[in-house]
Amino acid sequence: AHLQKFSIDEVRHAVERIDVRQHVGTRYYERYVIAVATLLVETGVLTQQELDEALGSPFKLANPAHSPGRAAVTGRAPFEVGDRVVVRDEYFSGHIRCPAYVRGKQGVVLHRTTEKWPFPDAIGHGDASAEHQPTYHVQFSARDLWGSAADDGLVVVDLFESYLDKVPAASPAAAPAE
């Protein structure tokens, strides 16, 4: 039976909340076991005591969430293929699905998904009313991301709509005065 107690983004957020000393000593899938156990306790499916008794020893859960998350940006027209966009250069405490290496960088929209998903920065913190948004395949120049040490390659990153702003079209140069 599907409990419907938490989303995959809440699981990812719980993985991110694992204490650094515990994180270093565990493997990838072990972190997901810790995250799911944490969410089962946090949502009241079981207690810490029941978990400890079932395992025969204390089980260290992830740290409590220290951020309520944030809502999606709404009320804007969707981006279109070919639009130049800039990734918002935002840092906030909590779950986010925007890689730091693209923040503040400009790219070009290659594709907008037809499906929409709950905004991870909200749903990852348990907000079941999270705005559903498409994601965009945004292409960046490797040199724009990593400087002259990079080759001439291109990088495509899938980004939620709320992570992007449209780059204003360059205004035409003023005609010289006669």
Side-chain angles (χ1 to χ4, degrees), residues 35-64:
V36 169
T38 298
L39 291 168
L40 289 171
V41 170
E42 289 177 353
T43 59
V45 173
L46 53 91
T47 66
Q48 176 80 56
Q49 183 178 348
E50 290 169 330
L51 182 60
D52 293 348
E53 287 173 2
L55 296 172
S57 65
F59 188 88
K60 179 153 174 41
L61 299 174
N63 295 321

Side-chain angles (χ1 to χ4, degrees), residues 67-70 90-96 103 121 125:
S67 167
R70 63 178 175 168
E90 300 174 317
Y91 294 82
F92 94 103
S93 179
H95 182 63
I96 185 169
R103 293 179 190 161
D121 302 32
H125 293 264

Side-chain angles (χ1 to χ4, degrees), residues 85-165:
V85 293
V86 61
V87 181
R88 291 171 166 245
D89 194 10
E90 300 174 317
Y91 294 82
F92 94 103
S93 179
H95 182 63
I96 185 169
R97 298 284 294 165
C98 179
Y101 66 88
V102 297
R103 293 179 190 161
K105 306 296 183 177
Q106 290 188 23
V108 177
V109 172
L110 298 182
H111 175 75
R112 180 179 71 225
T113 59
T114 55
E115 292 293 321
K116 294 180 179 184
W117 297 273
F119 185 53
D121 302 32
I123 190 87
H125 293 264
D127 180 358
S129 68
E131 182 77 21
H132 284 60
Q133 294 191 326
T135 60
Y136 295 83
H137 303 216
V138 180
Q139 180 177 277
F140 300 89
S141 154
R143 290 207 171 146
D144 285 348
L145 297 178
W146 296 295
S148 60
D151 62 18
D152 289 330
L154 299 170
V155 177
V156 177
V157 180
D158 285 348
L159 296 163
F160 274 85
E161 190 168 89
S162 284
Y163 299 145
L164 304 171
D165 286 320

